[in-house]
Amino acid sequence: MVVAFIEPMEYERTSQILEKLQDVITKLVVKDCVHIFLFSNAGQFDDDCYTVVSKLKKRYPYIERHYYHGGCDYDNGYVDWMSEFYDFVHFSAKGLVISSQLRNCIMIDLCDVVVTCGAISTVEYARKKKKRIINLIEQ
């Protein structure tokens, strides 16, 4: 199974949200056998998800962290640097800039489960695609 983390427009980091995030991601790994996580490196929510997944990866080394870049920055140094943090780094076709909304849709198309914290347009798209949605605001 594959999980995509979708950054909301506004994210207020609280201890309650961080606890929910830890619980949700752990259950996805342990009970649902999720092993691939999609990230966009879009902000604090994505960073918090990355931290939780990276800690779990120490206990469950089969976990994969995939980074989806929306721009067309093909600087080899940047690609190599991001490869130090992620197991796979995905870039759009050379010269093609992808908006954050389109990148989110691509990630949703590739996943089974969407984890977010209030990203309304993303949730609507995920519902249309019949994806399982875990919205931490509604938990």
Side-chain angles (χ1 to χ4, degrees):
M1 286 185 65
V2 178
V3 170
F5 297 110
I6 305 298
E7 182 83 21
M9 292 298 286
E10 292 184 24
Y11 171 62
E12 183 179 338
R13 183 184 207 206
T14 65
S15 59
Q16 184 180 18
I17 291 289
L18 292 175
E19 287 176 23
K20 287 180 185 179
L21 197 55
Q22 177 72 45
D23 186 51
V24 163
I25 295 171
T26 301
K27 285 179 182 174
L28 287 168
V29 170
V30 174
K31 293 184 179 180
D32 296 336
C33 299
V34 170
H35 64 279
I36 298 174
F37 293 91
L38 311 181
F39 299 88
S40 62
N41 196 32
Q44 187 63 57
F45 178 74
D46 198 78
D47 290 347
D48 289 342
C49 295
Y50 178 87
T51 298
V52 172
V53 171
S54 295
K55 286 179 183 175
L56 285 169
K57 185 174 174 65
K58 292 176 184 174
R59 192 175 328 147
Y60 305 98
Y62 58 84
I63 289 174
E64 296 177 8
R65 297 162 302 182
H66 293 224
Y67 168 59
Y68 282 82
H69 187 67
C72 60
D73 180 358
Y74 284 91
D75 176 83
N76 286 336
Y78 180 72
V79 174
D80 291 343
W81 182 70
M82 291 306 284
S83 295
E84 291 178 25
F85 302 99
Y86 295 92
D87 301 296
F88 295 94
V89 178
H90 305 273
F91 282 80
S92 57
K94 195 164 188 167
L96 179 66
V97 178
I98 296 177
S99 70
S100 59
Q101 183 65 27
L102 179 56
R103 181 191 55 217
N104 289 348
C105 291
I106 290 168
M107 290 170 57
I108 290 168
D109 289 343
L110 295 170
C111 78
D112 302 294
V113 181
V114 172
V115 175
T116 190
C117 193
I120 296 169
S121 62
T122 299
V123 169
E124 290 173 10
Y125 182 79
R127 277 194 188 112
K128 287 179 187 175
K129 294 291 185 169
K130 301 194 183 327
K131 303 295 178 169
R132 177 177 166 202
I133 301 162
I134 300 173
N135 191 338
L136 298 175
I137 297 293
E138 298 171 355
Q139 294 277 314

